Amino acid sequence: ADTTYIALAGNPNCGKTTLFNELTGSNGYVGNWPGVTVEKKQAPWKKERDVELVDLPGIYSLSPYSPEEVVSRDFLVNDRPDAVVDLIDVTNLERNLYLTTQVLEAGRPVVVGLNMCDLLKERGDVIDAKKLSSMLGAPVVEVSALRNRNLDKLMRQAVDAARGGVATKGVRCFSPEVESALQKVQAIVGDAAPAELARWYAIKVFERDAEAIEPLGLSREQLDQAEEVIAAIEKSRDDDAESIVTGERYDWIATVMDACVKKAPKRLTTSQ
Ligand code: GDP
Ligand code: K
Ligand code: MG
């Protein structure tokens, strides 16, 4: 049978190495990603040897500002794993979701693992995983990599998603004004971008991410038309396009936090 490739993505310290070692028995191939001194780890899932896990570098974003970010997005967008497990440290949910909103746009089937759920219990915080799943448009599995909880379930869902081959859509996290600009840019890019990556590339063009859009080989005319759309919204917002995108992602994440997280009431402690 063909090998099924599943990438593990997540912020630094979200527990990716713990998960990778637990799933693979940790005796996999370790080397560097081509051209950079960023560690690459790859090994089969110990329960199904034809499922290959690729541990991506820990990152906060898929922008091009560090070798780790470039390696991760090149792998997602160009090498195209069959599915992605996006691992989230649930005790830092708000910060971790920033990367998640971008991973969901990369045109691959995504399953979200909510890691460190054992710590959540201690704190008394409650996450509505069903609601979170519906807002993200992707399956969400509550796990603990350290305590080996629900890891088979996470992998089962990832393998199913990989073999189903249906790319996750990406969330509608932008305001109507920005959304309409993105639609215009997407139309300008047209079939220069593969269908599964149409939205990904529309956002990258909007952000003027030259490195990301280079493979599209857009014409001068297409770039000028896009620039007109981008400049108009920058003028109306008095902000640059990249900051607008970042700001709206965080605004959307705030609504997700409101809808999905119930904090434990703060206990008053008395000193004695
Ligand atoms: P990475 O940077 O994403 O590779 O994260 P690591 O796997 O190195 O984990 C970071 C820290 O979180 C380590 O101290 C792990 O033991 C701890 N950790 C990982 N998963 C869990 C979990 O499910 N629960 C708890 N409580 N700690 C975890
Ligand atoms: K670490
Ligand atoms: Mg690690």
Side-chain angles (χ1 to χ4, degrees):
D2 283 347
T3 304
T4 300
Y5 287 92
I6 296 182
L8 302 181
N11 283 14
N13 293 315
C14 72
K16 252 168 358 73
T17 296
T18 308
L19 177 67
F20 181 86
N21 290 346
E22 191 61 49
L23 293 176
T24 62
S26 79
N27 43 16
Y29 162 86
V30 179
N32 279 340
W33 292 87
V36 284
T37 52
V38 175
E39 187 182 81
K40 177 177 187 179
K41 282 197 304 185
Q42 185 173 322
W45 181 24
K46 61 187 180 188
K47 304 222 166 153
E48 278 185 33
R49 311 294 294 180
D50 61 346
V51 173
E52 189 83 2
L53 287 151
V54 181
D55 189 25
L56 298 179
I59 47 169
Y60 295 107
S61 163
L62 289 177
S63 40
Y65 299 121
S66 71
E68 288 80 6
E69 290 169 347
V70 171
V71 157
S72 297
R73 75 180 202 178
D74 279 355
F75 189 77
L76 295 177
V77 172
N78 300 326
D79 293 336
R80 326 274 303 133
D82 297 296
V84 185
V85 169
D86 176 56
L87 197 64
I88 286 179
D89 168 3
V90 78
T91 68
N92 280 302
L93 182 59
E94 188 159 13
R95 192 181 62 189
N96 280 236
L97 282 173
Y98 183 66
L99 175 66
T100 301
T101 61
Q102 299 169 65
V103 170
L104 293 169
E105 284 156 5
R108 300 284 68 212
V110 179
V111 174
V112 173
L114 279 186
N115 193 31
M116 311 216 192
C117 278
D118 54 308
L119 296 179
L120 215 56
K121 276 201 182 120
E122 276 168 32
R123 295 179 180 202
D125 293 347
V126 177
I127 309 259
D128 186 340
K130 241 175 119 177
K131 180 98 200 205
L132 183 62
S133 170
S134 93
M135 291 185 87
L136 296 177
V140 170
V141 184
E142 295 166 277
V143 305
S144 171
L146 189 67
R147 313 217 178 280
N148 195 359
R149 245 198 67 220
N150 264 352
L151 302 188
D152 284 352
K153 185 176 173 191
L154 176 68
M155 282 304 292
R156 217 10 81 228
Q157 298 238 18
V159 171
D160 284 353
R163 295 185 178 150
V166 180
T168 305
K169 283 235 177 328
V171 295
R172 297 281 140 172
C173 55
F174 301 112
S175 64
E177 189 189 18
V178 170
E179 187 59 48
S180 138
L182 289 171
Q183 303 286 340
K184 283 182 201 157
V185 170
Q186 190 170 318
I188 292 164
V189 171
D191 52 20
E196 275 184 350
L197 289 166
R199 186 169 177 83
W200 165 267
Y201 277 118
I203 294 167
K204 293 300 142 195
V205 170
F206 187 81
E207 291 175 317
R208 296 197 191 84
D209 186 335
E211 206 176 312
I213 66 172
E214 208 252 347
L216 297 182
L218 297 178
S219 68
R220 168 71 13 230
E221 197 189 354
Q222 283 173 303
L223 291 170
D224 287 348
Q225 285 173 359
E227 188 54 38
E228 225 173 275
V229 176
I230 301 163
I233 199 159
E234 287 182 324
K235 191 162 175 238
S236 93
R237 292 291 183 89
D238 192 23
D239 200 358
D240 68 278
E242 199 183 348
S243 317
I244 294 170
V245 167
T246 300
E248 294 205 347
R249 285 192 199 278
Y250 277 115
D251 291 347
W252 184 80
I253 289 166
T255 68
V256 174
M257 296 297 290
D258 278 347
C260 301
V261 183
K262 271 206 186 65
K263 289 264 168 211
K266 283 222 171 61
R267 263 181 247 150
L268 295 174
T269 52
T270 51
S271 50
Q272 15 211 334

